[in-house]
RNA sequence: GGUCGAUUAGCUCAGUUGGUUUAGAGCGUUGCAUUGACAUUGCAGAGGUCACUGGUUCGAAUCCAGUAUCGACCACCA
C-alpha cells in the first residue's frame, strides 16, 4: 500500500504511456480479427493542442479503447494536414520578420523554408496528444504532403479531369489580398461590422443640375463603375431610363439601366454597377454587356485604371475618395450602416470579389450522391439532427462548384501544363508532353508551362480515409482490410469542408480502388458513423480561438488535473453535438465550469486511488464471510451487472458522456459509499471470499472505466492483483453483463432507505452517530422476507445505522418513532423521550401528500377509457400504486 | 430573408420510439460529522406548477400548432 494518500497523475501517466508504447498495444496490422478503424481529423501540421482537439481526441480514444477491449483489431491512424493557406501564411509571416519577401525567394526556395518550418514545428501537436493518452498507432503517422499522399492527389486530379468533372473558368471569386489567393466560399467568414453608406450623386449627361443619387458602401470602387441601375417601376427615376450619367472623379459616361434586381426600398433606390468588384454587379454586367474595369491589384491596391488614389490600399483609398467627393460636392451624405463584411478565415483580410481564372470541380451530381448516402443511412450522423444541416449544404439549390485552385506554393501543384491556350492534364510533365505531341510533334518540355497554382488543402484531406491506407498505391491490402472505417469524430463546423467531401470521395473512388465486388459487400462510404462534437466555447459563448486568446492552455490543464481528470471534465458536459462552455478557472468557484469538471475528474481519480489503498490494506483470512458482507457482495454484483447492461446500451448509442457519469456513480456511490462501508471489517480482516469478490468487482469497474480514464485504471488494475507485465487493463476484455436479481436490488434499496432514515432522524435530533439506537420492525410476511432468513440484512442495518438491535416485533414499542420501510411500519427506538407533537405533524404532512397522490391514481383508475385502452402492465402498475398508497395511509393513520 | 435548434433546480446540463410510486446528475447552498482509504472526505436536508397558450391522447417534460425569448447556420441586398 502506498504511503501517500494522494494520487499523482504525472508519474503514473508517464509510466503507463511509455509502457503501452513499448508493448506495441496501439499498433494495428491486418489480421483475422474484425477491424475497428478511426482516422484522426488531421490537425494542422503547425497547430498547437487546443480544447477542441482535446475533446474530439478524447472521444476517439474512448471509442478505440472500447473496441480494443471488445477484442477488435483497433486501428487509430494519426497524422497532420499541410493546411496550405494557414501554414503558408505563417511561413510568409516568419520570413517577413527576417526581412525576406516571398516573391524574392521563388517557389523552390520558399518550399525549402516551408519544409524546414514543418520539420521544426510539425507534429508538436501529435506529441501533445500523447499526453492526453491518445492510443494512436503512431507508426502509421501520415502527412498530407508526403510523397505518397501527394501522388494520390495528383492521380485523383487527373482522373477527375479525364472524367470531365474538373474545368477551368473565369469566375467571380473570393480573393484574399493578403495571402493573394482565391478562397472557397466556405473559407470566407461573414460578420456584421459597422460601416457607412455613402450617398453619391451622378450628374445626368447633357444637364447641369439633374442628378441621381446612389448609395454605396464602397465609394472607392466608383472609378470602376460602368452603369447605374434603378427599378423599372420606380417613379422617381423613370426619367433616367435610357439616359446616361457621368461618374464623378473620372468623368466616365455610363448608362442607367432599369432592372428589377434593384430594391427600391433600400438606400436611395439607385444602384451603381461595378462589374469587376461585386458578384451581383458582375451578373448584371454580363446581362447587359457592360465593361469590366478592374481597378485593384492582387494585393488590394488601386491600379492605374482607377485614375485616382492610384497605389493606395483600398481601405486608404476609400478615405481619399470620400475626401475628393466631398470636395467636388458629389457626396450627398454619409449614413451609419451595419453591414456584412467577408473576411478570410485564415488571414482575416477583407475579402475582395475578383474575376479570376480558376479550376473548379462540378458538384451537382457528386453532392447528390453524398446527400443520398446520409439520407439512406449508409453513413449515420450522431446526433442525427445534424442531417438537416448537411442537407441544406448539399441540396441542389445551394451547392456550388468547388474552386480547387489556390494561388499558393505550399500544396500539391496542379498537374496541368499549358501550351499557349491548350491544356494538358497528366501525372507528370513527360506524360503531358507526350499528349501534347499528338498535336504538336516537335514540342519539348520547355514549351510546356505547368500551372503555377496548388490545390485546396481539402482536395487532399477528402482522400484521407483512403490515402492513409495507401489506397491509391499499388498494394490495396490495407485499404481492403480497414475500409470503410468505422467512426469519424469531428466538429460540425467542418461538416461541409471535410465530412461531406470525404463522403463524396468515398463514393467517387472506392469502386475504382477496390473493385465492384468489394463495394457491393462493404459499401463505398468512407465511414459508417460520424460523431459530431460540439464547439468548445468560452463563458461568453464565443468559439474558442487563438486570435481571441480565450482558450485555456491545454498543456497547463493536463498538468494541473491530469489527463484522466481533463478527459473526464471534457466529456462529462459534452453530449454529442452540443456546444460546451469552458471557462477559465475561477477563483471563487461560483459557477460550475469546465475546469471545475476537470477538478471533479481529478477528485474521482483520487477516490479510486484511495479505494484501492483501502482494499490493499485489508488483511485476509480463510473464514466465513460476515453476513452483511455476503449480502452486500451479492448486491454489488447485481448493481454491477445492471450498470454494465445500461452502459452497453449507452455506448452503442454513442451516449458516451452518460455512460461515463453512470460509471462514476457506480464507483463512487455504490461501490465506495455503500459497498466498501458495508464490508469494512471492524478488526481489519476480511474473509477471503469477500476480498476476492471486492477485487473482482473493482477490477471489472476499472476495465469499464478504462476507455474514459486510461491511466488511473491501468495503475489500479495492476495493483489490485499485483499483475505482471503483459497482463494489462488496456488489452483485457470488456466485462460481460451477467444476469442480475432485480428483486435483490429492490430489497437492498429498501435497506438503504432505512439507513438513510435513521441517519436523518439522528441529524434532526442531534443524536450522534456514535450513540446506538434500536430498530423494531412490525412483523409480517414482507418484513420477514426482508429481515428474517438471511441474517445479513439485520447485520447490515446494525452496521450502517449503528443500531444496537434490529428486531421483528408485534406491538408498538415505547419511545418508538414510527416510520415506513416501503409499506411496512418500523420504529426507531430512542433512548430518551419522544416529542410526539412534532412527530405527529410530520406524519400528518406525509399523509396529506400520500392522499393527494392516491387521489390522482384513483382518478386515473376510475377513468374507464384508461382501464380499457392502456396496456395491461400500465394498469397493473397503477393498481399497485393504489394498493401501496392505501397501505401506507392505513399504516400512517394507525401511527397517529 | 431562409433554415435548424434550444427554453427542465441558483448554475451547467441529462432525460433513448408518450406510461416504473407524481422529474434526475454534478456543482453551488444549508446543517451535522475530523485520530487509520480519501477533508481532493463522509452523512443528511432544502430547492423544479419541465418558457407560455392551445391541441392530440386513457395518459404529455416527451407528439402537434401557435406565442415569447435566446442561439446557430445559410443567403448577393448596394
Amino acid at each position: 500500500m502506498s504511503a501517500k494518500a494522494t494520487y499523482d497523475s504525472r508519474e503514473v501517466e508517464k509510466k503507463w504511456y511509455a509502457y503501452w508504447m513499448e508493448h506495441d498495444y496501439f499498433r494495428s496490422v491486418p489480421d483475422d480479427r474484425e477491424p475497428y478503424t478511426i482516422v484522426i481529423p488531421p490537425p494542422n501540421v503547425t497547430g498547437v493542442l487546443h480544447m477542441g482537439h482535446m475533446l474530439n481526441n478524447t472521444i476517439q480514444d474512448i471509442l478505440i479503447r472500447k473496441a480494443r477491449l471488445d477484442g477488435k483489431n483497433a486501428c487509430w491512424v494519426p497524422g497532420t494536414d499541410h493546411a496550405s493557406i494557414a501554414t503558408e501564411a505563417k511561413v510568409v509571416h516568419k520570413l517577413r520578420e527576417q526581412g525576406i519577401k516571398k516573391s524574392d525567394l521563388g517557389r523552390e526556395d520558399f518550399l525549402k523554408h516551408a519544409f524546414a518550418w514543418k520539420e521544426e514545428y510539425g507534429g508538436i501537436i501529435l506529441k501533445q496528444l500523447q499526453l492526453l493518452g491518445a492510443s494512436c498507432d503512431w507508426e502509421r503517422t501520415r502527412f498530407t504532403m508526403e510523397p505518397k499522399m501527394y501522388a494520390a492527389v495528383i492521380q485523383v486530379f487527373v482522373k477527375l479531369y479525364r472524367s470531365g468533372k474538373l474545368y477551368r473558368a473565369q469566375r467571380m471569386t473570393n480573393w484574399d489580398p493578403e495571402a493573394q489567393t482565391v478562397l472557397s466560399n466556405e473559407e470566407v467568414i461573414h460578420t456584421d461590422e459597422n460601416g457607412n453608406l455613402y450617398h453619391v450623386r451622378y450628374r445626368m449627361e447633357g444637364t447641369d443640375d439633374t442628378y441621381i443619387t446612389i448609395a454605396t458602401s464602397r465609394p472607392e470602387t466608383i472609378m470602376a463603375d460602368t452603369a447605374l441601375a434603378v427599378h423599372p417601376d420606380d417613379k422617381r427615376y423613370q426619367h433616367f431610363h435610357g439616359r446616361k450619367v457621368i461618374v464623378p472623379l473620372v468623368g466616365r459616361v455610363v448608362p442607367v439601366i432599369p432592372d428589377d434586381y434593384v430594391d427600391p426600398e433600400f438606400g436611395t433606390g439607385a444602384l451603381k454597377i461595378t462589374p469587376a468588384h461585386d458578384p451581383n454587379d458582375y451578373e448584371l454586367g454580363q446581362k447587359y454587356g457592360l465593361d469590366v474595369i478592374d481597378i485593384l491589384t492582387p494585393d488590394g491596391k488601386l491600379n492605374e485604371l482607377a485614375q485616382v488614389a492610384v497605389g493606395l490600399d483600398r481601405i486608404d483609398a476609400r478615405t481619399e475618395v470620400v475626401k475628393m467627393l466631398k470636395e467636388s460636392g458629389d457626396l450627398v451624405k454619409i449614413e451609419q450602416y451595419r453591414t456584412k463584411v467577408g473576411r478570410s478565415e485564415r488571414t482575416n483580410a477583407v475579402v475582395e470579389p475578383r474575376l479570376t481564372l480558376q479550376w473548379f470541380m462540378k458538384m451537382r451530381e457528386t453532392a447528390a450522391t453524398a446527400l443520398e448516402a446520409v439520407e439512406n443511412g449508409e453513413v449515420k450522423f450522431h446526433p442525427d439532427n445534424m442531417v438537416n444541416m448537411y442537407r441544406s449544404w448539399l441540396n441542389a439549390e445551394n451547392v456550388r462548384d468547388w474552386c480547387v485552385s489556390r494561388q499558393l506554393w505550399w500544396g500539391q501543384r496542379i498537374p496541368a501544363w499549358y501550351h499557349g491556350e491548350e491544356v494538358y492534364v497528366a501525372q507528370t510533365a513527360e506524360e503531358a508532353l507526350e499528349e501534347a505531341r499528338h498535336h504538336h510533334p516537335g514540342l519539348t518540355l520547355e514549351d510546356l508551362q505547368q500551372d503555377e497554382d496548388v490545390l485546396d488543402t481539402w482536395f487532399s484531406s477528402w482522400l484521407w480515409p483512403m490515402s492513409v491506407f495507401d489506397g491509391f498505391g499499388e498494394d490495396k491490402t490495407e485499404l481492403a482490410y480497414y475500409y470503410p472505417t468505422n467512426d469519424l469524430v469531428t466538429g460540425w463546423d467542418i461538416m461541409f469542408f471535410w465530412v461531406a467531401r470525404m463522403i463524396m470521395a468515398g463514393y467517387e473512388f472506392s469502386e475504382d480502388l477496390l473493385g465492384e465486388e468489394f463495394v457491393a459487400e462493404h459499401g463505398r462510404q468512407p465511414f459508417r458513423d460520424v460523431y459530431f462534437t460540439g464547439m468548445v466555447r468560452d463563458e461568453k459563448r464565443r468559439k474558442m480561438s487563438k486570435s481571441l486568446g480565450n482558450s485555456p492552455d491545454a498543456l497547463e490543464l493536463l498538468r494541473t488535473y491530469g489527463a484522466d481528470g481533463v478527459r473526464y471534465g471534457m466529456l462529462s458536459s459534452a453530449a454529442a453535438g452540443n456546444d460546451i462552455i469552458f471557462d477559465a478557472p475561477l477563483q471563487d468557484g461560483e459557477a460550475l465550469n469546465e475546469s471545475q469538471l476537470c477538478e471533479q475528474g481529478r477528485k474521482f481519480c483520487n477516490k479510486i486511488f484511495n479505494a484501492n489503498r483501502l482494499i490493499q490494506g485489508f488483511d485476509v483470512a480463510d473464514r466465513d464471510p460476515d453476513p452483511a458482507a455476503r449480502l452486500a457482495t451479492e448486491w454489488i454484483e447485481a448493481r454491477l451487472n445492471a450498470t454494465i447492461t445500461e452502459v452497453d446500451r449507452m455506448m452503442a448509442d454513442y451516449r458516451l458522456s452518460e455512460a461515463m457519469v453512470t460509471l462514476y456513480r457506480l464507483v463512487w456511490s455504490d461501490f465506495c459509499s455503500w459497498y466498501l462501508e458495508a464490508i469494512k471489517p471492524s478488526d481489519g480482516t476480511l474473509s477471503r471470499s469477500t476480498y476476492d469478490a471486492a477485487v473482482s468487482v473493482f477490477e471489472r469497474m476499472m476495465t469499464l472505466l478504462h476507455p474514459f480514464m486510461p491511466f488511473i485504471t491501468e495503475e489500479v488494475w495492476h495493483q489490485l492483483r499485483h499483475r505482471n507485465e503483459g497482463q494489462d487493463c488496456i488489452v483485457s476484455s470488456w466485462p460481460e453483463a451477467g444476469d442480475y436479481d432485480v428483486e435483490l436490488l429492490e430489497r437492498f434499496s429498501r435497506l438503504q432507505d432505512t439507513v438513510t432514515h435513521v441517519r436523518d432522524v439522528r441529524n434532526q435530533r442531534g443524536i450522534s452517530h456514535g450513540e446506538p439506537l434500536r430498530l423494531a420492525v412490525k412483523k409480517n410476511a414482507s418484513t420477514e422476507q426482508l429481515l428474517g432468513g438471511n441474517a445479513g440484512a439485520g447485520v447490515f442495518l446494525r452496521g450502517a445505522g449503528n443500531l444496537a438491535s434490529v428486531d421483528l416485533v408485534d406491538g408498538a414499542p415505547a419511545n418508538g418513532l414510527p416510520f415506513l420501510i416501503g409499506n411496512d411500519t418500523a420504529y426507531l427506538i430512542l433512548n430518551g423521550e419522544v416529542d410526539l407533537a412534532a412527530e405527529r405533524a410530520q406524519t400528518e404532512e406525509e399523509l396529506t401528500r400520500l392522499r393527494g397522490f392516491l387521489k390522482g391514481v384513483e382518478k386515473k383508475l376510475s377513468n374507464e377509457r384508461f382501464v380499457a385502452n392502456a396496456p395491461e402492465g400500465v394498469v397493473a402498475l397503477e393498481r399497485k400504486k393504489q394498493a401501496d398508497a392505501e397501505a401506507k395511509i392505513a399504516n400512517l393513520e394507525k401511527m397517529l
Side-chain angles (χ1 to χ4, degrees):
Chain A
M1 167 168 137
S2 159
K4 286 184 293 181
T6 309
Y7 171 65
D8 178 0
S9 60
R10 285 192 218 183
E11 198 181 297
V12 170
E13 288 172 8
K14 215 170 140 187
K15 175 177 75 181
W16 288 115
Y17 203 86
Y19 177 95
W20 292 328
M21 290 287 278
E22 269 166 40
H23 287 74
D24 269 343
Y25 285 146
F26 307 158
R27 181 80 182 125
S28 169
V29 286
D31 60 22
D32 297 339
R33 288 174 298 165
E34 180 189 341
Y36 175 88
T37 317
I38 294 180
V39 292
I40 204 169
N44 290 359
V45 66
T46 59
V48 170
L49 192 67
H50 63 64
M51 303 308 291
H53 295 129
M54 296 233 279
L55 173 63
N56 97 61
N57 286 291
T58 294
I59 289 166
Q60 290 174 73
D61 197 43
I62 290 167
L63 295 172
I64 212 85
R65 284 178 187 269
K66 169 69 162 64
R68 204 175 279 127
L69 290 169
D70 284 337
K72 294 178 187 160
N73 186 349
C75 181
W76 183 9
V77 184
T80 48
D81 192 295
H82 66 284
S84 64
I85 185 166
T87 305
E88 180 152 331
K90 276 186 196 170
V91 175
V92 166
H93 183 76
K94 186 190 156 207
L95 289 173
R96 197 182 299 147
E97 279 177 354
Q98 299 169 356
I100 305 171
K101 272 164 69 184
K102 176 186 162 189
S103 50
D104 295 343
L105 276 178
R107 179 186 289 264
E108 265 178 48
D109 285 335
F110 178 81
L111 285 177
K112 273 183 202 153
H113 280 277
F115 272 109
W117 167 284
K118 183 245 160 188
E119 284 312 310
E120 191 174 349
Y121 299 100
I124 288 182
I125 190 162
L126 299 181
K127 286 272 177 292
Q128 293 174 329
L129 284 178
Q130 300 187 348
L131 299 176
L132 186 65
S135 58
C136 304
D137 181 355
W138 298 107
E139 287 179 48
R140 291 182 174 273
T141 305
R142 306 303 295 260
F143 174 51
T144 52
M145 273 273 274
E146 69 182 46
K148 279 183 183 171
M149 294 196 137
Y150 196 117
V153 168
I154 299 303
Q155 186 182 327
V156 158
F157 187 95
V158 173
K159 175 183 168 350
L160 287 173
Y161 178 77
R162 293 196 174 142
S163 67
K165 292 210 161 134
L166 289 174
Y167 63 94
R168 199 165 179 237
Q170 183 105 7
R171 287 279 175 84
M172 220 25 166
T173 49
N174 305 296
W175 185 261
D176 178 339
E178 193 170 320
Q180 297 194 37
T181 177
V182 72
L183 301 174
S184 68
N185 291 320
E186 293 74 32
E187 287 167 308
V188 181
I189 313 290
H190 295 273
T191 45
D192 273 325
E193 292 185 19
N194 286 322
N196 293 319
L197 205 50
Y198 301 88
H199 293 240
V200 181
R201 60 177 197 179
Y202 289 51
R203 184 162 54 87
M204 190 195 287
E205 190 191 29
T207 68
D208 290 331
D209 54 358
T210 308
Y211 291 94
I212 182 166
T213 302
I214 59 94
T216 179
S217 60
R218 304 206 56 193
E220 72 278 15
T221 64
I222 66 171
M223 294 82 80
D225 288 355
T226 51
L228 251 52
V230 297
H231 195 275
D233 301 335
D234 195 332
K235 298 266 187 301
R236 293 172 294 177
Y237 301 124
Q238 278 177 345
H239 59 292
F240 278 94
H241 293 187
R243 303 298 295 263
K244 296 199 164 169
V245 295
I246 297 162
V247 179
L249 304 186
V250 293
R252 183 179 304 119
V253 178
V254 301
V256 177
I257 296 165
D259 192 287
D260 57 13
Y261 162 73
V262 180
D263 175 5
E265 303 296 317
F266 189 90
T268 62
L271 176 63
K272 76 188 195 67
I273 304 297
T274 320
H277 299 292
D278 184 280
N280 299 310
D281 293 7
Y282 180 70
E283 296 284 312
L284 282 178
Q286 293 286 86
K287 187 168 165 186
Y288 294 101
L290 301 175
D291 287 343
V292 178
I293 303 171
D294 186 343
I295 59 165
L296 287 180
T297 61
D299 60 348
K301 294 191 174 77
L302 270 59
N303 63 25
E304 288 73 22
L305 291 175
Q307 301 175 48
V308 300
V310 173
L312 289 181
D313 183 85
R314 65 213 192 285
I315 311 288
D316 303 324
R318 177 175 302 172
T319 318
E320 180 64 18
V321 166
V322 167
K323 201 176 114 204
M324 292 171 73
L325 286 171
K326 232 181 240 170
E327 281 163 6
S328 69
D330 293 317
L331 184 67
V332 177
K333 70 168 173 179
I334 301 176
E335 209 180 322
Q336 288 280 316
Y337 179 61
R338 219 164 149 69
T339 184
K340 283 252 196 262
V341 175
R343 287 177 180 276
S344 164
E345 186 192 36
R346 293 300 173 195
T347 64
N348 204 38
V350 174
V351 168
E352 289 294 334
R354 185 161 190 246
L355 201 58
T356 54
L357 185 59
Q358 305 290 344
W359 283 94
F360 292 88
M361 175 169 170
K362 292 181 188 166
M363 289 306 260
R364 187 174 273 269
E365 214 178 293
T366 316
T369 311
L371 180 55
E372 170 68 14
V374 173
E375 301 262 22
N376 70 17
E378 285 173 33
V379 177
K380 288 196 202 65
F381 282 3
H382 306 275
D384 59 6
N385 61 13
M386 287 292 170
V387 176
N388 291 322
M389 196 188 293
Y390 185 76
R391 193 180 294 122
S392 80
W393 269 112
L394 288 189
N395 77 43
E397 285 163 41
N398 290 342
V399 75
R400 270 177 278 170
D401 286 354
W402 176 14
C403 176
V404 297
S405 46
R406 295 290 183 277
Q407 289 63 53
L408 301 167
W409 286 340
W410 179 242
Q412 291 88 2
R413 191 169 178 183
I414 292 176
W417 282 263
Y418 305 103
H419 177 248
E421 294 290 296
E422 295 156 19
V423 185
Y424 300 98
V425 171
Q427 307 253 8
T428 61
E430 289 72 22
E431 277 178 37
L433 179 63
E434 202 179 308
E435 207 181 308
R437 278 183 177 155
H438 290 310
H439 308 279
H440 314 280
L443 287 184
T444 65
L445 275 178
E446 282 69 47
D447 299 318
L448 294 180
Q449 202 68 44
Q450 185 173 3
D451 197 311
E452 289 297 328
D453 294 348
V454 301
L455 287 158
D456 180 11
T457 295
W458 302 102
F459 201 85
S460 56
S461 322
W462 75 327
L463 307 177
W464 188 248
M466 293 181 273
S467 58
V468 295
F469 300 114
D470 289 332
F472 295 89
E474 290 299 307
D475 183 357
K476 311 287 189 201
T477 323
E478 289 243 317
L479 187 66
Y481 181 72
Y482 291 112
Y483 194 90
T485 70
N486 295 73
D487 295 319
L488 178 80
V489 180
T490 187
W492 52 258
D493 54 332
I494 53 172
M495 179 188 285
F496 187 71
F497 273 130
W498 194 47
V499 178
R501 289 188 183 139
M502 279 191 288
I503 296 174
M504 293 174 189
Y507 282 81
E508 191 73 41
F509 306 120
S510 58
E511 186 173 330
D512 265 10
L513 301 179
L514 291 161
E516 213 172 301
E517 206 173 306
F518 180 94
V519 298
E521 190 183 342
H522 301 278
R524 298 161 194 261
Q525 68 276 37
F527 30 73
R528 298 193 174 89
D529 293 273
V530 184
Y531 182 111
F532 286 105
T533 64
M535 299 292 100
V536 181
R537 295 175 189 274
D538 71 2
E539 73 283 1
K540 290 182 189 131
R541 310 213 165 219
R542 298 175 304 183
K543 216 152 132 180
M544 284 197 171
S545 71
K546 256 208 310 253
S547 51
L548 279 172
N550 60 349
S551 181
D553 182 343
L555 298 180
E556 183 59 35
L557 225 49
L558 286 171
R559 266 194 297 274
T560 310
Y561 302 107
D564 289 331
V566 172
R567 289 165 70 115
Y568 177 95
M570 295 304 307
L571 195 68
S572 60
S573 67
N578 276 16
D579 289 357
I580 70 177
I581 315 294
F582 198 110
D583 283 7
L586 289 181
Q587 258 70 34
D588 49 12
E590 53 189 20
L592 175 69
N593 59 45
E594 200 66 22
S595 47
Q596 276 175 299
L597 288 170
C598 293
E599 172 69 4
Q600 201 178 317
R602 194 173 67 86
K603 288 180 180 177
F604 188 30
C605 290
N606 205 56
K607 186 75 180 175
I608 293 169
F609 175 78
N610 276 295
N612 177 52
R613 285 178 72 225
L614 174 67
I615 292 178
Q616 300 298 311
F618 289 141
D619 290 325
V620 182
D622 286 312
R623 63 181 189 198
D624 284 343
D626 174 83
R630 192 187 303 159
L631 172 68
T633 300
E634 279 173 24
W635 168 75
I636 194 71
E637 273 290 343
R639 275 298 307 144
L640 177 63
N641 282 319
T643 305
I644 297 173
T645 308
E646 223 178 317
V647 167
D648 280 344
R649 215 171 33 230
M650 290 168 173
M651 296 296 281
D653 292 348
Y654 293 87
R655 283 147 51 208
L656 307 184
S657 175
E658 274 181 80
M660 188 186 65
V661 171
T662 304
L663 290 170
Y664 173 89
R665 283 206 286 273
L666 173 73
V667 172
W668 199 306
S669 171
D670 293 329
F671 188 76
C672 293
S673 297
W674 284 103
Y675 177 66
L676 288 182
E677 290 303 327
I679 66 166
K680 204 187 267 182
S682 48
D683 60 357
T685 304
L686 223 51
S687 79
R688 183 160 302 284
S689 65
T690 305
Y691 178 83
D692 289 345
V695 167
S696 157
V697 169
F698 204 166
E699 174 182 52
R700 276 173 284 165
M701 292 193 309
M702 289 306 95
T703 307
L704 292 166
L705 220 39
H706 181 263
F708 303 93
M709 307 172 83
F711 295 106
I712 175 98
T713 49
E714 186 72 84
E715 172 75 7
V716 169
W717 161 275
H718 272 262
Q719 289 191 13
L720 268 176
R721 293 201 196 268
H722 311 288
R723 283 192 159 87
N724 300 319
E725 264 194 66
Q727 300 173 289
D728 303 308
C729 188
I730 185 176
V731 288
S732 61
S733 296
W734 184 258
E736 256 181 68
D739 292 334
Y740 56 94
D741 182 350
V742 178
E743 198 272 336
L744 170 67
L745 290 177
E746 192 274 331
R747 196 150 33 100
F748 197 83
S749 109
R750 264 189 291 160
L751 295 176
Q752 290 174 307
D753 289 346
T754 307
V755 171
T756 299
H757 182 80
V758 171
R759 287 170 179 165
D760 189 23
V761 169
R762 286 179 188 277
N763 267 334
Q764 281 180 23
R765 291 164 188 274
I767 304 169
S768 99
H769 183 74
E771 185 182 335
L773 302 174
R774 284 176 296 143
L775 183 70
V777 181
K778 195 104 178 262
K779 189 173 180 177
N780 64 26
S782 141
T783 56
E784 279 205 60
Q785 199 218 353
L786 184 66
L787 295 168
N790 183 357
V795 180
F796 170 75
L797 287 180
R798 289 212 300 271
N802 191 23
L803 302 167
S805 62
V806 177
D807 302 307
L808 288 170
V809 298
D810 287 319
N815 279 341
L817 260 184
F819 68 100
L820 293 176
I821 300 176
N823 296 332
D824 303 313
T825 310
Y827 301 89
L828 187 59
I829 303 164
L830 304 189
N831 299 323
E833 285 297 310
V834 173
D835 178 357
L836 283 174
E839 223 39 58
R840 228 189 148 77
Q842 216 174 36
T843 309
E844 269 166 1
E845 201 181 308
E846 173 68 5
L847 253 181
T848 313
R849 195 191 67 83
L850 270 173
R851 283 181 180 136
F853 174 71
L854 179 63
K855 222 169 157 184
V857 176
E858 277 172 345
K859 198 173 148 201
K860 218 181 211 182
L861 281 170
S862 65
N863 183 339
E864 278 171 35
R865 287 195 296 178
F866 170 70
V867 181
N869 293 329
E872 220 170 293
V874 175
V875 178
L877 195 70
E878 289 302 314
R879 291 240 157 80
K880 183 165 183 323
K881 281 191 205 170
Q882 182 187 29
D884 287 352
E886 278 168 353
K888 279 183 187 171
I889 287 168
N891 279 332
L892 287 173
E893 278 169 349
K894 230 182 277 171
M895 286 177 197
L896 286 175

